[in-house]
């Protein structure tokens, strides 16, 4: 006779991993939010980095941009990896609220990354605003994850 506690233990461990990954995403997004405001307000993107397209703008920001801009881009790359992990874990839980929240969060993070590269490329305030709004929505998504997962803890 097989014990029913094994699947429950695996489910609990999965939920805990999702909770930790969501918390990590939330913290990284808050750091990105602060760095992004600082970059937007106080960092001058070199004119040589402008007008070359979104992809090249991102590469230039990471490799030869001012230190704050490079840090912002680097943390953004790590954040994308983390939110993909959150989505995979959410799918494994089979909880619709977690899957939707993680998917929306991932789309917002990717959208914010593209808006950031567009800001470096064109210097338009609308790109910076879009990045900030998408980051705020992503923060809300991972806060929802934490709330729902916290209510499910025994």
């Amino acid at each position: 006779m097989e014990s029913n506690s094994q699947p429950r233990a695996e489910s609990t461990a999965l939920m805990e991993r999702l909770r930790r990954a969501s918390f990590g995403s939330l913290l990284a997004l808050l750091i990105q939010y602060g760095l992004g405001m600082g970059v937007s307000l106080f960092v001058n993107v070199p004119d040589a980095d402008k007008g070359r397209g979104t992809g090249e703008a991102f590469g230039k920001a990471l490799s030869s941009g001012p230190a704050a801009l490079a840090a912002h881009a680097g943390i953004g790359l790590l954040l994308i990896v983390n939110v993909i992990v959150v989505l995979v874990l959410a799918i494994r839980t089979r909880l619709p609220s977690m899957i939707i929240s993680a998917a929306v969060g991932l789309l917002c993070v990717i959208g914010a990354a593209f808006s950031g590269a567009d800001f470096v490329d064109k210097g338009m305030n609308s790109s910076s605003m879009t990045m900030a709004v998408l980051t705020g929505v992503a923060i809300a998504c991972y806060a929802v994850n934490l709330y729902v997962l916290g209510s499910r803890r025994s």
Side-chain angles (χ1 to χ4, degrees), residues 41-65:
L41 293 171
F42 302 114
V43 173
N44 291 322
V45 176
D47 288 335
D49 293 351
K50 294 182 180 177
R52 296 180 175 235
T54 305
E56 191 168 330
F58 179 78
K60 284 282 195 182
L62 196 57
S63 65
S64 62

Side-chain angles (χ1 to χ4, degrees), residues 5-141:
S5 66
Q6 182 68 17
R8 176 175 273 169
E10 289 175 12
S11 175
T12 301
L14 179 61
M15 297 287 190
E16 184 60 23
R17 287 179 60 203
L18 178 58
R19 188 182 68 78
R20 279 191 235 134
S22 294
F23 185 66
S25 294
L26 182 66
L27 288 179
L29 281 162
L30 289 171
I31 290 166
Q32 281 292 79
Y33 208 58
L35 271 173
M37 283 189 284
V39 166
S40 180
L41 293 171
F42 302 114
V43 173
N44 291 322
V45 176
D47 288 335
D49 293 351
K50 294 182 180 177
R52 296 180 175 235
T54 305
E56 191 168 330
F58 179 78
K60 284 282 195 182
L62 196 57
S63 65
S64 62
L69 181 60
H72 188 54
I75 293 170
L77 276 178
L78 295 173
L79 180 60
I80 289 171
V81 171
N82 194 63
V83 297
I84 290 170
V85 168
V86 171
L87 179 59
V88 169
L89 291 171
I91 290 169
R92 289 183 57 205
T93 68
R94 298 183 180 167
L95 294 172
S97 61
M98 295 290 95
I99 295 168
I100 291 168
S101 180
V104 171
L106 172 62
L107 291 173
C108 287
V109 168
I110 290 171
F114 276 101
S115 293
D118 192 55
F119 176 74
V120 170
D121 182 41
K122 297 181 180 99
M124 295 177 13
N125 287 335
S126 61
S127 296
S128 181
M129 182 65 182
T130 300
M131 184 173 33
V133 169
L134 289 173
T135 300
V137 173
I139 288 170
C141 288

